[in-house]
Amino acid sequence: MKSMKLTATALALLLLVLDHAMAQGGLKKNLATTKPAKPAQCCDEVRSLKVQVANLSSMLEEMNKKQESDLMKVVRQMMELEKHNQQHEARVTEAESKYSEIYNQLEIMQLQAAQSAPQQSTSDAIYDCASLYSRSYKISGEYKLPKDDFLGTPELNVYCDMENNGGGWTVIQRRKIGLTSFDRDWKQYKNGFGTIRGDFWLGNEHIFRLTRQPTVLRIELEDWEGKTRYAEYGFFTVSNEMNSYKLFIANYSGNAGDSLRYHNNTNFSTNNKDNDKCVDNCAQLRHGGYWYNCCTDSNLNGVFYRYGSHTKNPDGISWYGWHGQHYSLKRVEMKIRPQSFVP
Ligand SMILES: [Ca+2]
């Protein structure tokens, strides 16, 4: 601003000087026409004016130069500011991306927390006798398990053994009265049949759902002399219907012998569905529904034979490891409990 003002003043001064010089020149011309001139005085004046003009011109030039350099300085400062601005913007962008990254992580954590929430609630949910036991239901008997939308299980009547071997057992099969036929079809074995306080099969669909968590199977046997034996499997699970409720067992312990091992990795068969590993139809030959191989080393869903007739037939309730193929047991109970259960 100051240099601009200076330039304007200098220009005004220069114009004034030039005007004066022109006027002088015009006067000189006029004088030349009228009377003889005084060349020495005139030339001196012109010369001094010329010097002044030259001085002013150089001043002006200098000012221009200075102005130009000032302008360059301003431009450089502006460029510098622009650079700073860009750097600042880059930092803001970086900060923003970091923020969004953190926000995303937070969102993932919240999602995981939300997903784990129903899992936590299922540990409180009642879906077997073990969860009832942990809620202080410690008397053996019939219980109604509520429908569970999360597990997709319907309401179900079960018998809970809350007293033997630590309790918390869900009974999945029982033979003791002998009036209920176990020679049933696929659908009946799928959904279960019999009476929960007497002889029954809980149902393959229910057994499949109950054994989706690591499960223990305990089989208790009684013969006609009133002696008892047991077989326990630390691992027991049954696959879904699409996989024919295939049996998986492991980790045997007990005193009855391991007569279920022969049936490991076999599909469930019924009198109307031959899924066994035999040319024969084992379910029809043994008159039950079971994980038949070719055909049996045990037949816990076989025919109930009363005292006197229990040692004659190969289709009875047999456990080869104890009484062999031709002995039909008096009482059987199959029960399950989660591996994680603490009495
Ligand atoms: Ca067959």
Side-chain angles (χ1 to χ4, degrees):
M1 265 321 259
K2 199 181 168 190
S3 63
M4 288 287 279
K5 214 184 238 174
L6 266 169
T7 315
T9 318
L11 266 171
L13 212 68
L14 181 65
L15 283 170
L16 213 74
V17 168
L18 280 171
D19 195 42
H20 183 69
M22 291 288 277
Q24 287 284 327
L27 188 68
K28 195 176 77 181
K29 270 183 193 165
N30 284 343
L31 282 173
T33 52
T34 50
K35 53 176 171 178
K38 294 175 192 168
Q41 195 196 349
C42 148
C43 288
D44 279 350
E45 273 180 17
V46 168
R47 207 175 293 131
S48 115
L49 279 171
K50 270 185 182 170
V51 169
Q52 281 180 34
V53 166
N55 283 346
L56 282 168
S57 294
S58 84
M59 267 173 72
L60 194 63
E61 207 175 317
E62 222 163 285
M63 279 175 183
N64 275 341
K65 271 184 192 164
K66 197 177 177 294
Q67 200 181 5
E68 210 169 299
S69 88
D70 283 349
L71 189 71
M72 285 301 287
K73 224 184 263 177
V74 169
V75 167
R76 266 201 298 275
Q77 280 174 352
M78 274 173 72
M79 279 167 75
E80 198 111 331
L81 270 172
E82 181 76 8
K83 208 172 113 188
H84 278 297
N85 201 23
Q86 278 175 358
Q87 282 174 346
H88 182 69
E89 253 175 52
R91 264 187 233 132
V92 168
T93 310
E94 198 184 337
E96 269 179 356
S97 83
K98 267 185 190 160
Y99 172 79
S100 89
E101 199 179 313
I102 289 166
Y103 186 78
N104 279 347
Q105 282 175 350
L106 194 72
E107 223 172 10
I108 289 166
M109 277 161 71
Q110 281 174 338
L111 201 68
Q112 284 172 339
Q115 281 171 342
S116 67
Q119 281 167 13
Q120 282 168 355
S121 76
T122 56
S123 68
D124 293 325
I126 298 164
Y127 57 88
D128 62 8
C129 294
S131 45
L132 281 167
Y133 187 93
S134 59
R135 288 192 170 207
S136 300
Y137 291 92
K138 295 187 178 170
I139 299 165
S140 295
E142 197 175 347
Y143 288 88
K144 195 185 280 277
L145 299 178
K147 177 173 176 265
D148 194 306
D149 289 329
F150 181 75
L151 292 168
T153 51
E155 197 179 68
L156 181 66
N157 280 343
V158 288
Y159 192 91
C160 297
D161 181 349
M162 300 302 207
E163 285 149 44
N164 296 305
N165 312 105
W169 297 101
T170 305
V171 181
I172 61 168
Q173 187 258 29
R174 190 189 294 114
R175 312 297 301 274
K176 70 171 185 183
I177 297 165
L179 297 175
T180 304
S181 169
F182 275 62
D183 195 1
R184 308 254 184 163
D185 63 20
W186 184 263
K187 202 177 164 188
Q188 287 174 301
Y189 266 101
K190 176 186 173 177
N191 299 315
F193 57 85
T195 50
I196 214 77
R197 288 179 176 276
D199 295 7
F200 72 96
W201 181 254
L202 188 65
N204 288 335
E205 198 60 31
H206 304 307
I207 296 168
F208 152 63
R209 289 187 196 282
L210 287 166
T211 59
R212 281 190 299 183
Q213 61 180 323
T215 301
V216 178
L217 168 69
R218 186 178 171 93
I219 299 167
E220 282 176 5
L221 312 167
E222 189 183 327
D223 67 14
W224 290 93
E225 279 72 49
K227 289 181 190 141
T228 58
R229 296 273 176 102
Y230 78 98
E232 204 173 287
Y233 295 89
F235 179 80
F236 167 63
T237 190
V238 167
S239 60
N240 60 12
E241 186 177 22
M242 256 179 69
N243 293 296
S244 303
Y245 302 117
K246 192 179 227 175
L247 171 74
F248 298 99
I249 44 129
N251 303 336
Y252 163 80
S253 63
N255 56 9
D258 186 357
S259 289
L260 201 56
R261 184 166 51 180
Y262 181 66
H263 302 267
N264 193 18
N265 277 311
T266 58
N267 297 327
F268 203 88
S269 290
T270 56
N271 56 20
N272 66 337
K273 211 161 223 174
D274 182 356
N275 292 323
D276 61 32
K277 296 179 177 175
C278 219
V279 286
D280 294 320
N281 188 325
C282 295
Q284 283 179 7
L285 285 171
R286 298 289 188 261
H287 296 107
Y290 204 56
W291 300 280
Y292 291 112
N293 189 328
C294 188
C295 283
T296 51
D297 199 27
S298 61
N299 190 33
L300 299 180
N301 291 336
V303 181
F304 190 96
Y305 287 106
R306 303 218 163 262
Y307 194 71
S309 60
H310 65 280
T311 57
K312 292 172 187 154
N313 304 291
D315 59 351
I317 304 166
S318 57
W319 188 268
Y320 292 17
W322 188 17
H323 280 297
Q325 187 182 357
H326 296 280
Y327 189 99
S328 187
L329 297 160
K330 183 188 167 192
R331 195 181 66 89
V332 177
E333 221 173 52
M334 296 173 77
K335 47 197 184 184
I336 58 170
R337 187 168 75 182
Q339 280 176 10
S340 59
F341 179 79
V342 182

